[in-house]
Amino acid sequence: DKVIAQSENIKEQYVNALTFFAGEDTRCVWDEKIVTNGYPDKSVGPEPERTRLLFVIGANELSEQRFNLLEAIKERIDEAKEYTDGIVMSIALYPADREQWLKIDRDLSEKIFERLEQADSEGVQITTFPLENFGIEAKRFDAYYGSPSPVMTTFIEQGKPVMLCNYGIEE
């Protein structure tokens, strides 16, 4: 298995974090498994199928990442737009009920909603999920990225890749 990182910088951060966790003698394993050149080359052969990525933003991030959340979301949306030939990203809020978000932090929530509306107009799909449909909806996607949520566990049960977002890591 390989993990595709969006840049050499992100690859290096993952390798360093995993090496710290698993020990210095594992560095070469992580360096081989994490790659940055795995996006399909459109110039060779038929049109490759694009990976459908679900990016879930949890309301818990309003408290945990208050000072860098909006900028981090903007950066991740911009990065996804750079790879539209290989990735189709959909964004979902958890919980989907925006009133719950507004109760936690009205100002920041409204700014996030505005950014998501802008992303929608730029071709990034915005998705909402009723709790009872997580399993059905997860089948539409190839991989999960974002905050911990019940959707994440559904991806794990379906054997799909899951990557938790760390809003504190910057390129």
Side-chain angles (χ1 to χ4, degrees), residues 37-73:
N37 61 350
Y39 291 99
D41 181 357
K42 289 182 74 169
S43 65
V44 179
E47 181 77 24
E49 188 173 321
R50 297 188 301 172
T51 299
R52 295 162 301 173
L53 176 69
L54 178 62
F55 175 25
V56 176
I57 306 167
N60 61 299
E61 307 295 357
L62 292 170
S63 298
E64 295 172 15
Q65 302 297 329
R66 158 174 263 130
F67 300 108
N68 63 336
L69 181 61
L70 184 60
E71 187 59 33
I73 290 171

Side-chain angles (χ1 to χ4, degrees), residues 74-85:
K74 288 179 187 178
E75 288 173 4
R76 277 137 182 97
I77 291 170
D78 289 344
E79 287 172 6
K81 289 188 310 190
E82 288 179 32
Y83 297 104
T84 56
D85 58 334

Side-chain angles (χ1 to χ4, degrees), residues 5-168:
Q6 63 265 43
S7 70
E8 283 294 327
N9 183 24
I10 296 296
K11 174 185 174 173
E12 184 179 330
Q13 290 182 43
Y14 280 126
V15 169
N16 289 339
L18 290 165
T19 300
F20 176 78
F21 177 75
E24 189 63 40
D25 58 329
T26 65
R27 179 175 295 278
C28 62
V29 172
W30 305 124
D31 199 45
E32 287 179 21
K33 286 191 174 284
I34 302 172
V35 298
T36 58
N37 61 350
Y39 291 99
D41 181 357
K42 289 182 74 169
S43 65
V44 179
E47 181 77 24
E49 188 173 321
R50 297 188 301 172
T51 299
R52 295 162 301 173
L53 176 69
L54 178 62
F55 175 25
V56 176
I57 306 167
N60 61 299
E61 307 295 357
L62 292 170
S63 298
E64 295 172 15
Q65 302 297 329
R66 158 174 263 130
F67 300 108
N68 63 336
L69 181 61
L70 184 60
E71 187 59 33
I73 290 171
K74 288 179 187 178
E75 288 173 4
R76 277 137 182 97
I77 291 170
D78 289 344
E79 287 172 6
K81 289 188 310 190
E82 288 179 32
Y83 297 104
T84 56
D85 58 334
I87 297 175
V88 176
M89 182 172 76
S90 295
I91 301 173
L93 297 176
Y94 181 79
D97 180 4
R98 292 183 178 203
E99 288 300 317
Q100 298 298 319
W101 286 67
L102 294 170
K103 288 177 185 176
I104 298 169
D105 187 324
R106 177 169 291 280
D107 183 53
L108 182 54
S109 293
E110 288 175 348
K111 289 176 183 174
I112 290 170
F113 300 158
E114 286 173 22
R115 182 58 186 107
L116 295 181
E117 288 170 17
Q118 180 184 354
D120 191 38
S121 70
E122 296 168 348
V124 177
Q125 204 172 17
I126 309 301
T127 308
T128 57
F129 295 102
L131 187 60
E132 63 275 5
N133 291 339
F134 280 161
I136 295 166
E137 292 294 332
K139 290 179 182 176
R140 294 182 15 214
F141 298 96
D142 301 310
Y144 178 99
Y145 175 70
S147 305
S149 73
V151 182
M152 177 190 75
T153 58
T154 303
F155 274 74
I156 293 169
E157 290 168 0
Q158 293 178 5
K160 295 181 179 179
V162 171
M163 185 169 60
L164 294 179
C165 182
N166 183 340
Y167 292 101

